Amino acid sequence: VTVLPDEQTPPRRMPARRGKGEALRSEILEAASDLLAESGDVATVSLRAVARRVGIATTSIYLHFPDLDALILAVKRQRFGELGECLETALAAAGTDPVAGLRAVGRGYVAFGLAHPGHYRVMFSASTREAGADAFGLETFDTLTAVVARALDLPSLDPGVELVSTNLWTFVHGLVHLRTARPSFAWPDLDAQIDDMVDRTLGHRAPD
Amino acid sequence: VTVLPDEQTPPRRMPARRGKGEALRSEILEAASDLLAESGDVATVSLRAVARRVGIATTSIYLHFPDLDALILAVKRQRFGELGECLETALAAAGTDPVAGLRAVGRGYVAFGLAHPGHYRVMFSASTREAGADAFGLETFDTLTAVVARALDLPSLDPGVELVSTNLWTFVHGLVHLRTARPSFAWPDLDAQIDDMVDRTLGHRAPD
DNA sequence: TGTACATCAGTGAACGCGCGTTCACTGATGTAC
DNA sequence: TGTACATCAGTGAACGCGCGTTCACTGATGTAC
């Protein structure tokens, strides 16, 4: 058998410079992230699929992550960071009015979730056997609590603030999750849903 | 090699009477249901695992279901039926007060979800490629709409009723899903969360 | 300046496993005659 | 009443596939002397 010169030969990856293996690490992370975004399901992602996507040998992943769980956990961590930044940005852009701030945070949360439905599902999927994964996103919740306290003009530790914050988080979470799970339901206007909830929660009458 | 008389020989299943293969069908459904309840994840259930649980040959499942998707769909359908019955029962037990009825439906929904977290997740997991699976639970939503209309004393078709119903469903869904996804979060009292939401939604002041 | 060598990044063959699906089968039950 | 046979419920071996993980390897880069 003659080996043709332009055969579909696997282009062996040029190893990174000493101490600079981090480049491949990022590529692996991004590929895993893409796969999770597409499927929205942790169970459908495999080391081999990630390696295929990056164009490397499966075993090369072990150079950067101890196993699949660790890789997925790293993706989750990254996305939670992004969600946090998203909310901070939305809040900063909303100006000084406390109610506008709360509305902006709610809309920002929902916008993030609906823009990345696969990632959002993964972020709140039943934990991989990993222990601490359950505590993800707590700082984000603190952001929400602070905004609610400001909007209600109460101290952050007030039990009413705790209840309202929790219920608003519950609501926006349900909004993202249910809309992605039931895309063909006859959903009302998105902002109308959010505003109505914020208004009723703050005790304003909804604008008629 | 001598065959020991009391060897762990597979006890071949006694075939059902003619026309009464339905018995095994139920056993298969129940086993699949149990596996889904335990994992809460469609992707971890396999035909072979179901067969193992029932104690039959894997191929026997094909006598009753065309494939794994159909089996899982059958389980989903069953659970949605149960959820519907649950809400009807809770509503009937709540007496004639419209607000009490709404509260009862909310509590019933959440109670069902938290009592069967694995099933609840499966019911709202990204659809198997099956088409109509997306429409599950619509009658249940109609029940909620009727109760909300009664509590607000408005016709069922009023846009306000639609918005409130949708937002309440969104809320109870979020409550179930988020609590099961974040079991170690410092959750407030469950009924306090539900009642607070119902009260604010109906425009009552929460009891101080 | 030159050479031997350790190190680091990445490879690829091989393993054992669980999976869905196929196919020819077994054997008791009921029916035709 | 007896016997041949179709039918129905369920079996089990075999297939090809994708998976995680192991292990010995390759080859360029940097360092010691």
Side-chain angles (χ1 to χ4, degrees), chain A residues 43 80 121 123-124 126 134 136 141 166-167 170-171 173-175 177 181-185 187 193 196 200-201, chain B residues 43 80 121 123-124 126 134 141 164 166-167 170-171 173-175 177 181-185 187 193 196 200-201:
Chain A
F80 270 106
R121 285 201 156 244
M123 289 160 75
F124 291 95
D134 178 57
F136 272 156
F141 180 72
T166 307
N167 276 0
T170 298
F171 174 73
H173 173 79
L175 195 49
H177 193 267
R182 292 287 178 273
S184 62
F185 183 79
W187 293 104
Q193 271 192 276
D196 181 78
R200 291 183 191 274
T201 295
Chain B
F80 269 106
R121 282 199 160 246
M123 289 161 74
F124 290 95
D134 177 59
F141 180 72
V164 167
T166 308
N167 275 1
T170 298
F171 173 72
H173 174 80
L175 195 49
H177 193 268
R182 292 287 179 273
S184 61
F185 183 79
W187 293 103
Q193 271 193 274
D196 182 78
R200 291 184 191 274
T201 294

Side-chain angles (χ1 to χ4, degrees), chain B residues 45-56:
Chain B
V45 172
S46 69
L47 284 182
R48 294 179 107 105
V50 172
R52 242 180 275 125
R53 172 79 53 128
V54 181
I56 56 172

Side-chain angles (χ1 to χ4, degrees), chain A residues 191-204:
Chain A
D191 288 334
Q193 271 192 276
I194 300 174
D195 291 349
D196 181 78
M197 181 57 66
V198 170
D199 287 339
R200 291 183 191 274
T201 295
L202 296 181
H204 304 163

Side-chain angles (χ1 to χ4, degrees), chain A residues 37 131 140:
Chain A
T140 302

Side-chain angles (χ1 to χ4, degrees), chain A residues 80 83 105-106 109-111 113-114 117 119-126 144 165-181 187 194 197, chain B residues 120-121 169-182 187:
Chain A
F80 270 106
L83 171 59
V105 168
Y109 189 100
V110 172
L114 294 180
H119 282 147
Y120 191 84
R121 285 201 156 244
V122 169
M123 289 160 75
F124 291 95
S125 63
L144 177 61
S165 306
T166 307
N167 276 0
L168 279 180
W169 182 30
T170 298
F171 174 73
V172 289
H173 173 79
L175 195 49
V176 172
H177 193 267
L178 205 45
R179 272 184 182 249
T180 59
W187 293 104
I194 300 174
M197 181 57 66
Chain B
Y120 191 84
R121 282 199 160 246
W169 181 31
T170 298
F171 173 72
V172 288
H173 174 80
L175 195 49
V176 171
H177 193 268
L178 204 46
R179 275 185 181 246
T180 59
R182 292 287 179 273
W187 293 103

